[in-house]
Amino acid sequence: MFKLRVMKYLRKFISNVNELSYISLILVLSALIYTVYVLNSRTDINPQRSRAAGPTPTSIFQPTAPQTSYLTTARNILDWMDTQKDTRGVYQNGECRENQGCDDPVEDPKVAHFVLWSRYQAYKSGRFPDQLNQLSRDLASFNSLYQIPDYHISYLNNLPVCSLLYPIATDEEVPSSDRSILEELCRNSMFVGKVITQADNLINQTGTIAEPEVDKVIQDIPLPADPETDTVNYNRGFRQYAVYASDLITQYRWFDDNKQFQRAKHNFNKALEVYSREKDGDMLKYEGDAILSLAASDLYTATQNRKYENFITKYITRKTLSGCYTTTDCSYYLLMLFKMFQATGNQQYRQALTETIDSLMTKAYDPQVGAFHEMIPGIKIFDVRTNSILSGILANLI
């Protein structure tokens, strides 16, 4: 009966999703994970303990040999992604498979940002030359939606956009017309809300934003509370702060806009404050904190400040012990490792990346579908964003 209630609620959510709800999907899925766990076990979640039911965190201490090769898996996901579009070329998301049957996926056009990154990484690996043309077609379909007056799409930034598009738009192997579109998609991104107003007020008063107190967080010292920091709402608080930090620092790097650099620091400060106080709590434990490490990697790449790499090193140590509780959180963690390996060539990132992906493949990859699903017992939700990240990484592994 519980499973049926879960599926009924999930179907209702997916069928009524709107643009601002897309980014809440993982929040709902994570809450379901936690509910299943609580109902089936009263012990603490720990990678070393066995339990009857509930999600098993994917730890880099638990590598196992993948059932299929990295390249075969990448190809399978790329082919699966092609099936997740409607006749207009607009992406759908949230394909669900389980014994009871599931509703159709919902329209999620902004998933294209992730797909474009995936196709680009597959092309750059040298193993999937067809993906550059696929990228151009997907980009044309996606960009055309902004030309439809009544279509429900905006430039509101609620997902990593600039940080995904930047490497594509700055690569001369990509057609110049495509690069121009990608640049405009980033330049038009909108950052709104109290966190931006507060940042702008501080910039107007002092001209700068305080440097993130990363060293204190590395030492497990909670940062002073700012009453305007949202420490409760994961989606519009912690997650939004981290997403904004990632894209704002990319805009600074891309367009040499110092104001965006200051805004990025302010948003990273907010996310860092929440993390310093809540990193051992259920909110970040079950809904994921890897998006912060991804923002740290973008700040490191843009500034070359070693404090961000030091934070990432400490983060990897914690993630090794705790593992991932959702496939989406794991994908952001792997994306951070991928970026840091590209930026530094340090083998610690490569090792953590391959060990984590091997473990995830045994826990969440469905070879019959050719894609990864969320780690929810009895329910298989396939997220195009998550699979895009994973396929782009897998295409570059040997």
Side-chain angles (χ1 to χ4, degrees):
M1 289 299 295
F2 169 71
K3 180 180 176 182
L4 292 176
R5 288 198 301 271
V6 168
M7 286 307 303
K8 181 179 180 181
Y9 177 73
L10 188 59
R11 291 192 190 102
K12 180 180 179 181
F13 174 82
I14 291 177
S15 64
N16 289 285
V17 72
N18 55 39
E19 182 177 338
L20 292 178
S21 296
Y22 294 144
I23 58 176
S24 301
L25 181 56
I26 187 57
L27 177 63
V28 173
L29 298 181
S30 301
L32 295 178
I33 291 173
Y34 182 48
T35 304
V36 171
Y37 164 73
V38 169
L39 291 178
N40 287 280
S41 174
R42 294 298 177 182
T43 59
D44 292 337
I45 290 183
N46 187 299
Q48 275 69 48
R49 294 183 184 177
S50 62
R51 56 187 181 277
T56 301
T58 297
S59 168
I60 65 173
F61 274 156
Q62 301 171 327
T64 52
Q67 295 178 346
T68 56
S69 73
Y70 294 143
L71 294 185
T72 298
T73 305
R75 178 80 262 176
N76 290 343
I77 297 173
L78 289 168
D79 291 342
W80 172 79
M81 289 192 307
D82 287 334
T83 70
Q84 302 304 299
K85 295 183 283 188
D86 64 17
T87 56
R88 301 166 299 165
V90 179
Y91 278 92
Q92 316 292 297
N93 202 15
E95 180 183 3
C96 178
R97 300 192 182 194
E98 53 85 47
N99 293 335
Q100 297 293 329
C102 298
D103 289 342
D104 293 334
V106 298
E107 191 171 287
D108 189 357
K110 286 188 175 181
V111 81
H113 295 301
F114 291 78
V115 175
L116 295 172
W117 183 89
S118 176
R119 296 200 188 282
Y120 172 73
Q121 293 299 336
Y123 166 75
K124 289 299 288 185
S125 73
R127 302 177 178 98
F128 302 93
D130 62 312
Q131 291 303 300
L132 187 58
N133 288 334
Q134 287 276 64
L135 185 159
S136 294
R137 286 195 288 270
D138 279 349
L139 178 59
S141 297
F142 175 62
N143 191 53
S144 67
L145 299 178
Y146 286 99
Q147 318 309 317
I148 303 174
D150 297 329
Y151 191 76
H152 55 281
I153 190 170
S154 75
Y155 289 104
L156 182 65
N157 188 298
N158 49 25
L159 295 165
V161 174
C162 297
S163 59
L164 290 172
L165 302 185
Y166 179 77
I168 315 173
T170 54
D171 188 336
E172 293 187 356
E173 291 184 19
V174 177
S176 60
S177 57
D178 288 350
R179 287 187 278 126
S180 296
I181 295 172
L182 294 168
E183 180 175 323
E184 284 305 301
L185 287 172
C186 174
R187 194 184 296 274
N188 291 336
S189 292
M190 297 169 57
F191 306 90
V192 300
K194 290 194 302 183
V195 67
I196 295 299
T197 301
Q198 185 185 33
D200 291 348
N201 288 339
L202 290 171
I203 293 169
N204 291 335
Q205 292 169 13
T206 65
T208 187
I209 297 291
E211 284 294 311
E213 296 183 285
V214 173
D215 293 340
K216 288 184 178 179
V217 179
I218 291 173
Q219 299 172 48
D220 294 322
I221 300 173
L223 298 181
D226 182 337
E228 294 201 31
T229 299
D230 187 344
T231 59
V232 177
N233 188 329
Y234 172 81
N235 189 49
R236 304 302 292 176
F238 176 79
R239 187 185 184 283
Q240 178 177 290
Y241 298 148
V243 167
Y244 274 16
S246 179
D247 265 22
L248 285 164
I249 195 64
T250 304
Q251 283 201 348
Y252 158 72
R253 183 183 178 195
W254 200 337
F255 308 126
D256 195 24
D257 187 342
N258 185 65
K259 183 175 182 179
Q260 301 302 64
F261 178 37
Q262 302 304 323
R263 284 175 158 186
K265 286 194 297 181
H266 182 72
N267 278 271
F268 190 78
N269 281 336
K270 294 285 192 182
L272 199 63
E273 179 195 328
V274 177
Y275 178 80
S276 73
R277 294 173 170 275
E278 304 292 336
K279 62 180 181 293
D280 296 318
D282 285 349
M283 181 178 75
L284 297 189
K285 184 176 184 180
Y286 292 102
E287 289 155 8
D289 53 23
I291 191 70
L292 178 62
S293 72
L294 182 61
S297 71
D298 290 323
L299 281 157
Y300 171 75
T301 302
T303 67
Q304 295 296 297
N305 192 318
R306 289 294 299 275
K307 68 182 179 183
Y308 297 113
E309 186 173 22
N310 292 339
F311 171 79
I312 289 169
T313 299
K314 177 66 178 287
Y315 181 84
I316 292 172
T317 300
R318 285 182 55 85
K319 206 66 168 178
T320 295
L321 297 175
S322 67
C324 308
Y325 283 81
T326 72
T327 309
T328 296
D329 188 50
C330 231
S331 71
Y332 283 128
Y333 176 53
L334 288 162
L335 181 55
M336 177 275 292
L337 294 171
F338 182 71
K339 284 189 171 187
M340 290 303 293
F341 180 65
Q342 286 185 316
T344 68
N346 191 321
Q347 289 298 317
Q348 71 160 327
Y349 302 118
R350 167 78 185 199
Q351 180 180 353
L353 193 155
T354 55
E355 289 178 346
T356 304
I357 200 82
D358 286 354
S359 182
L360 189 62
M361 285 179 70
T362 66
K363 291 177 171 64
Y365 180 67
D366 187 329
Q368 293 184 329
V369 177
F372 289 84
H373 57 79
E374 275 298 337
M375 293 183 283
I376 306 174
I379 305 171
K380 288 187 175 181
I381 303 289
F382 296 86
D383 187 284
V384 178
R385 292 182 292 258
T386 297
N387 277 281
S388 296
I389 293 172
L390 296 174
S391 65
I393 293 171
L394 284 162
N396 285 275
L397 294 180
I398 299 174

